[in-house]
Amino acid sequence: MVSFSPFANALAQLKRAAKILALDNLTLNKLQTPERVLTAKIPVPLDNGTTREFVAYRVQYNDARGPFKGGIRYHPGVTEDEVKALAFWMTMKCAAVGLPLGGGKGGVVVNPKELSAGELERLSRGYVQAFYQHLGPTKDVPAPDVYTNSQIMAWMLDEYEHLVGEHAPGMITGKPLSLGGSLGRATATAQGGVYILQELMAKLERSPKNTTVAIQGFGNAGANAAKLLHQLGYKIVAVSDSQGGVYNEDGIDPRKAEAIKQAGGMLGCYCLGTVCTLEQIKTDGPCRAVSNEELLELAVDVLIPAALENQITAANADRIKAKIILELANGPTTPEADEILNKKGTLVVPDILANAGGVTVSYFEQVQNAMNYYWSEEEVSPKLKKIMVDAFAAVWGAKGKHQVDLRTAAFVLAVERVVEAMRERGESNTKKGR
Ligand code: GLU
């Protein structure tokens, strides 16, 4: 049955790993449900004098390995089911790369593009007012996610510190540098993914030159990945945002695409002011607009979904031509699609490995906050690289050992680690106070 429930998909992934680990039912059952699901309605006074309520969630999935950790998403499509899946994936992601953190996630059902800066600030402060008793550096640590950013983290930190009456920079990550953010955090998700791709390319004895890449999503993860890969000599041939995308057989300079977006233009318009040159357009040549669906099916070497869940499904998986899929988004591929892709020999580098760079530098940010001593970018980068390279090697090793795909290998490692921590705690315990 085709499932568009991200949480059902997440549980299907869990079950595959559980089977290989011969996990007992009691433990599996514990892993199938979050520790806590918090919901609230946040009243936000709007600029026009009226008040609107927004539905908000914080899901605390598992904290056996450390404080709950995970971003807050502002998106009109947010549901409880989605936030549960994202919180579960955070648990697995932190464990897959060996961070001493659990997993959580937050979300607000809102289209932030429709709010003014003031309304957005009031919503963000309202979120913290609703949940602050459950947050904190040793309890649950939010971060940015889809359509949230360092400014929103700053408002949330400020609100939290007012409520608890002390400085607590480690209660949130992805902050501005001036409030205790980490160098390298803004590009960390993309950078981590690039380190992983480079490791995979080395295994396959391929070089970036002549390797074509299509990227779905031009937010923090997608745009930074495009720039980093371009610098390394990969040929970016397609990029898109929520409005649509553009394909250029001759290659796209992502800095130009970014400039167009920053100027309020559209990536996907088949017109002047896109990444196509006038000459390419006039000759009906190698540059054209593509939809987000078309982008996924382009004949490229590497496909990078960097937007939302459920993009590669049973409906389009057999038309995907890329040999490598690097999941910078969370949950872009459904289990049904995985099956089709695995049969075809497509290498899917799973989200819990490919996009773990973001939370890894979030962890570094917390470490620096706790020390109140800050690292240079030259100190952050090799630390991130080591974690990603080691995690890739471990996942690649588990793939060979268990003769499974990369996702199942990553889940086997992650589930093993979470379960070990649960057992060490004597996890039949009642969790008092946490
Ligand atoms: N939202 C990012 C993710 O999905 C980062 C989470 C974090 O830094 O806590 O991995």
Side-chain angles (χ1 to χ4, degrees):
M1 204 194 88
V2 181
S3 163
F4 288 100
S5 151
F7 191 55
N9 292 341
L11 293 185
Q13 295 165 347
L14 169 66
K15 279 183 197 148
R16 270 179 84 101
K19 209 169 155 194
I20 289 167
L21 290 167
L23 216 62
D24 62 277
N25 272 341
L26 198 69
T27 312
L28 179 60
N29 284 344
K30 275 183 197 154
L31 286 174
Q32 284 178 317
T33 44
E35 188 66 41
R36 199 171 286 119
V37 178
L38 305 165
T39 61
K41 277 184 185 165
I42 304 177
V44 176
L46 301 180
D47 294 347
N48 67 10
T50 63
T51 296
R52 201 174 140 190
E53 278 189 334
F54 294 92
V55 176
Y57 303 100
R58 185 72 189 169
V59 175
Q60 301 184 322
Y61 204 93
N62 183 297
D63 68 343
R65 288 175 53 83
F68 301 106
K69 182 81 191 85
I72 300 171
R73 173 173 297 195
Y74 285 2
H75 194 276
V78 162
T79 61
E80 184 177 318
D81 180 277
E82 181 194 39
V83 183
K84 267 162 58 177
L86 292 163
F88 169 80
W89 285 321
M90 284 309 303
T91 308
M92 294 299 139
K93 187 185 305 185
C94 292
V97 295
L99 304 179
L101 296 169
K105 198 85 177 196
V108 179
V109 189
V110 59
N111 181 356
K113 293 173 189 170
E114 287 172 0
L115 298 191
S116 70
E119 290 164 343
L120 213 51
E121 175 175 349
R122 293 192 284 280
L123 173 65
S124 304
R125 290 184 184 278
Y127 188 93
V128 173
Q129 283 160 18
F131 299 128
Y132 80 98
Q133 280 158 322
H134 297 278
L135 305 176
T138 57
K139 286 190 198 170
D140 182 356
V141 184
D145 195 70
V146 173
Y147 294 155
T148 51
N149 55 27
S150 61
Q151 172 64 78
I152 289 171
M153 301 304 110
W155 289 325
M156 289 186 167
L157 173 68
D158 186 68
E159 189 63 29
Y160 182 83
E161 291 184 339
H162 275 120
L163 288 164
V164 299
E166 62 184 4
H167 282 283
M171 69 75 54
I172 203 160
T173 60
K175 301 179 289 288
L177 291 178
S178 60
L179 299 183
S182 177
L183 288 165
R185 177 62 186 86
T187 52
T189 306
Q191 183 61 262
V194 170
Y195 287 141
I196 295 286
L197 181 61
Q198 291 285 78
E199 291 304 293
L200 179 62
M201 294 285 283
K203 284 267 182 262
L204 304 176
E205 295 176 7
R206 287 198 59 152
S207 82
K209 202 167 177 292
N210 300 324
T211 298
T212 54
V213 184
I215 305 178
Q216 186 199 45
F218 211 70
N220 174 277
N224 283 310
K227 285 190 282 183
L228 291 168
L229 292 172
H230 180 71
Q231 275 167 22
L232 287 171
Y234 289 83
K235 191 170 173 185
I236 314 297
V237 293
V239 292
S240 70
D241 59 21
S242 62
Q243 305 299 307
V246 64
Y247 171 74
N248 190 344
E249 195 185 295
D250 296 334
I252 289 167
D253 182 344
R255 287 164 305 186
K256 191 169 169 194
E258 191 171 51
I260 289 163
K261 268 206 77 119
Q262 273 164 6
M266 278 164 68
L267 290 175
C269 82
Y270 185 47
C271 56
L272 276 180
T274 74
V275 294
C276 311
T277 64
L278 182 57
E279 203 46 45
Q280 287 172 324
I281 293 171
K282 267 203 311 215
T283 55
D284 206 12
C287 204
R288 60 189 162 90
V290 287
S291 68
N292 265 297
E293 294 74 37
E294 284 170 315
L295 180 139
L296 298 171
E297 298 173 19
L298 290 171
V300 292
D301 300 307
V302 182
L303 173 64
I304 305 186
L308 296 170
E309 308 90 72
N310 288 339
Q311 298 302 300
I312 304 173
T313 67
N316 62 0
D318 58 351
R319 292 195 301 274
I320 305 276
K321 297 175 193 71
K323 281 274 162 270
I324 298 173
I325 298 178
L326 183 76
E327 294 185 336
L328 288 188
N330 290 308
T333 313
T334 65
E336 295 84 5
D338 262 340
E339 218 174 297
I340 298 167
L341 294 167
N342 290 337
K343 277 203 189 106
K344 284 207 302 185
T346 312
L347 279 169
V348 183
V349 189
D351 45 9
I352 63 167
L353 175 65
N355 73 29
V359 73
T360 299
V361 179
S362 277
Y363 163 61
F364 295 160
E365 184 172 330
Q366 275 204 293
V367 170
Q368 294 168 81
N369 295 150
M371 296 188 293
N372 200 19
Y373 178 77
Y374 289 84
W375 296 329
S376 65
E377 197 144 10
E378 290 71 37
E379 288 171 282
V380 172
S381 295
K383 285 184 169 68
L384 171 62
K385 185 170 183 184
K386 180 164 170 35
I387 288 188
M388 299 310 291
V389 168
D390 288 354
F392 177 83
V395 171
W396 193 261
K399 173 188 187 306
K401 181 176 162 195
H402 300 291
Q403 292 295 305
V404 291
D405 55 281
L406 284 167
R407 187 184 318 280
T408 308
F411 268 88
V412 165
L413 284 181
V415 170
E416 225 171 4
R417 289 176 182 159
V418 173
V419 167
E420 188 189 345
M422 287 163 65
R423 292 217 172 107
E424 299 281 19
R425 285 179 185 280
E427 196 66 17
S428 52
N429 62 6
T430 48
K431 295 193 155 190
K432 294 185 200 83
R434 275 192 296 129

